[in-house]
Amino acid sequence: MSILLGITGASGALYAKRFLRYAEERGFAAELIVSKNGEAVLKHEGCEDILRNCAKIHKIDDFFAPPATGSSDYLGMAILPCSMGTLGRIAAGTSDNLLIRAADVCLKENRPLVLVPREMPLSEIHLENMLKLKRAGATIIPACPHFYKHPATLEELADTVVERVFALLKGAKK
């Protein structure tokens, strides 16, 4: 089974990199959809190697790709990091690119959709969009790492969020 990973222009490319490692270690195929700003952030934050090392990357404007249809079988989708622009377009149901359409498909097919916004402070518009998506069936996990396990590296700190995202992808357990 495959899991979709959306990467947007919000800072936090390390989360996406760690998610892919986490999925691979557990035997899951992760297929990527990366926004144009997401590509720029991956490069800026030194994580562009994930684009070279990923088996399947769908083009952002390819509406004929499998994630665009409910007849494709994915365990679910995580968008991390998720920009507030992407979150707002999902909440509005615009489906104006493959990433937004794939999220919309997850919602309409009752598949897990986990959004990891990495922004602060939150405006009233951000909060309203998050509430709208929560009511539609999405799970919102702000990129708030925890310190319970005393992480010693940035990677270990990012893993505290990634582990939570992965746990919430229903059925994403082998």
Side-chain angles (χ1 to χ4, degrees):
M1 294 286 298
S2 294
I3 297 172
L4 289 171
L5 174 62
I7 302 172
T8 71
S11 181
L14 179 60
Y15 289 112
K17 186 173 187 171
R18 299 302 287 178
F19 182 90
L20 289 171
R21 180 197 57 83
Y22 200 87
E24 182 181 3
E25 287 175 355
R26 282 148 187 80
F28 292 96
E31 297 182 17
L32 265 62
I33 306 170
V34 185
S35 72
K36 292 186 185 349
N37 287 335
E39 289 179 18
V41 169
L42 287 171
K43 183 176 180 183
H44 180 77
E45 295 183 359
C47 293
E48 69 271 16
D49 59 320
I50 68 174
L51 297 177
R52 291 188 299 273
N53 298 330
C54 188
K56 186 72 170 179
I57 302 173
H58 299 283
K59 293 183 179 178
I60 194 74
D61 57 355
D62 183 3
F63 284 92
F64 293 101
T69 178
S71 62
S72 294
D73 194 21
Y74 292 98
L75 289 173
M77 180 177 191
I79 302 176
L80 82 153
C82 184
S83 69
M84 286 301 171
T86 297
L87 193 143
R89 285 193 300 286
I90 296 168
T94 63
S95 291
D96 57 353
N97 65 43
L98 182 61
L99 194 149
I100 307 300
R101 173 63 185 160
D104 186 49
V105 167
C106 284
L107 291 174
K108 79 179 188 69
E109 298 292 329
N110 294 312
R111 292 184 189 141
L113 174 63
V114 181
L115 307 174
V116 184
R118 216 250 11 100
E119 176 126 8
M120 66 176 165
L122 299 171
S123 74
E124 186 172 346
I125 293 168
H126 298 152
L127 294 167
E128 288 173 353
N129 284 336
M130 285 190 261
L131 181 59
K132 186 175 184 180
L133 286 167
K134 178 63 181 167
R135 288 178 175 155
T139 301
I140 312 296
I141 301 179
C144 298
H146 66 76
F147 299 88
Y148 302 123
K149 296 180 183 177
H150 305 286
T153 66
L154 287 176
E155 288 79 11
E156 289 176 4
L157 193 61
D159 287 349
T160 67
V161 173
V162 167
E163 289 166 0
R164 189 76 176 122
V165 170
F166 213 86
L168 289 167
L169 287 171
K170 294 177 187 159
K173 296 178 183 169
K174 216 168 178 191

